[in-house]
Amino acid sequence: MTSRRPFGGPSGHWLGRRNPRLLLVVTGLFAVVTVSLQTLAAATVALGFGVAAAAAGGLPFRSLLKRLAALEALMAVLLATLPFTVPGDAVLSLGPLTATREGVHAAALIFLRANAVVLVLLGLLGSLEPVVLGHALARLGVPHKLVHLLLLTIGQIKHLDDERWRLRRAMRARAFVPRSNRHTWVSYGNLIGMLLVRSLERARRIEAAMRARGFQGRLYLLDDRHWHLVDTVSLVVLVPFLAGLLALDRLP
C-alpha cells in the first residue's frame, strides 16, 4: 500500500517540499529587487543566487538550457547592438559604429539581471504543476476569476495544439504545400478561423460540464500544503539577503 501524498505531491528535492506560496513570494521579491539593481557587482551576486536556485530546483541541465535558449538569443542581439546605441565614452570603433563604455555597462547589466530572474523563475516555479500554482496564487489573495482563467487556459492549451496538428495533417493529406501566394494565406486564415470556432465549441462544452457538476463560479481550494516553520525561516533568511543586495548596489 502506498502512502498518501499531499495535493500536488512534493518532489524529491528540498525546494519541492516547500510551500508553493513561499516559492511565489520569494520569486516575486527577488525579481523586484533584481530589476532595480544598477551595478554589475550586485547583479553578478543576483545571478549567482539564480544559478543556485536553478540547481536546487532539480531541473535537468539539458532541459534548463532548452528553456534558456530563447532568452539567450535575445540577449545575444542585445549585447551586439546596445553598446553601439548608447552615447558615452568610446571603447571600440568598427567603421562608422562606436561602442561606448556606458553601452557595454547597460548591456551587461541587462544580461545579468534577466538571466538571474529567469533562472530563479525556472528553479523555484518551473517544477510546479499548474494546479498547484493556481491554488498557491489563490491562497495569496489573487482574485479567483484570474486564477480560473489561468487554470482553464493552461488546461486547454494542449488540446488546442492537438487540434491544430489534426488540421495541419488534414491539409497535408490534401496535398497542401505552403508558398508565398494568396492560396497559402487564405488556407492559413481558414486554419486560424477553424481553431477559433472549435475552441469556442470546446469552451461551451467545458462550461456545460462544469455546470453539470455544480460549478457556481467559486474556486474550491483542495490542496493541503500547509505553511510550516521552515517556510517562515526560509523567508526570514531571504530578507537580509535581498537587503544586502540593495546595500551592495548602493555602495560607491
Side-chain angles (χ1 to χ4, degrees):
M1 180 181 296
T2 58
S3 61
R4 179 179 176 272
R5 296 174 64 186
F7 185 83
S11 49
H13 53 84
W14 180 81
L15 283 178
R17 295 190 292 271
R18 300 282 62 80
N19 194 294
R21 285 176 286 170
L22 170 68
L23 303 182
L24 280 169
V25 171
V26 169
T27 302
L29 291 176
F30 179 80
V32 170
V33 170
T34 301
V35 297
S36 67
L37 300 178
Q38 298 298 323
T39 63
L40 295 180
T44 302
V45 174
L47 180 61
F49 180 83
V51 172
L59 284 175
F61 183 70
R62 183 174 298 180
S63 175
L64 182 63
L65 289 181
K66 288 182 179 179
R67 298 187 183 191
L68 287 174
L71 173 66
E72 301 310 329
L74 177 63
M75 290 297 104
V77 175
L78 179 73
L79 292 173
T81 58
L82 190 59
F84 297 95
T85 58
V86 176
D89 299 330
V91 295
L92 176 66
S93 295
L94 296 176
L97 302 177
T98 301
T100 62
R101 189 184 310 276
E102 289 76 8
V104 173
H105 179 273
L109 188 62
I110 294 174
F111 174 81
L112 294 173
R113 293 187 305 191
N115 278 277
V117 172
V118 172
L119 284 172
V120 168
L121 185 66
L122 293 176
L124 300 187
L125 304 183
S127 60
L128 289 182
E129 297 178 1
V131 175
V132 177
L133 179 61
H135 279 70
L137 290 171
R139 294 285 189 188
L140 288 174
V142 175
H144 282 196
K145 289 185 178 180
L146 291 179
V147 177
H148 286 162
L149 183 61
L150 171 68
L151 294 178
L152 290 174
T153 300
I154 293 176
Q156 299 309 311
I157 285 177
K158 184 178 185 305
H159 296 290
L160 261 182
D161 189 57
D162 292 340
E163 187 65 31
R164 179 180 67 88
W165 277 110
R166 282 196 294 269
L167 292 174
R168 287 292 302 272
R169 285 195 296 267
M171 294 170 66
R172 290 175 181 175
R174 291 164 175 79
F176 172 76
V177 178
R179 295 186 177 90
S180 182
N181 54 29
R182 185 175 182 275
H183 173 70
T184 298
W185 298 117
V186 170
S187 300
Y188 280 138
N190 292 333
L191 172 64
I192 296 173
M194 286 301 300
L195 278 176
L196 292 175
V197 170
R198 296 192 179 186
S199 63
L200 179 60
E201 292 176 353
R202 183 174 181 82
R204 289 173 176 171
R205 291 197 301 270
I206 292 174
E207 181 185 11
M210 293 171 66
R211 292 186 181 278
R213 290 165 174 79
F215 179 74
Q216 297 179 349
R218 178 184 174 187
L219 176 66
Y220 295 94
L221 303 178
L222 305 177
D223 65 310
D224 54 3
R225 302 289 294 272
H226 300 291
W227 187 277
H228 298 289
L229 177 62
V230 66
D231 298 317
T232 303
V233 172
S234 301
L235 188 58
V236 170
V237 170
L238 176 73
V239 172
F241 170 75
L242 296 180
L245 265 183
L246 292 175
L248 176 62
D249 189 58
R250 301 300 186 271
L251 288 178

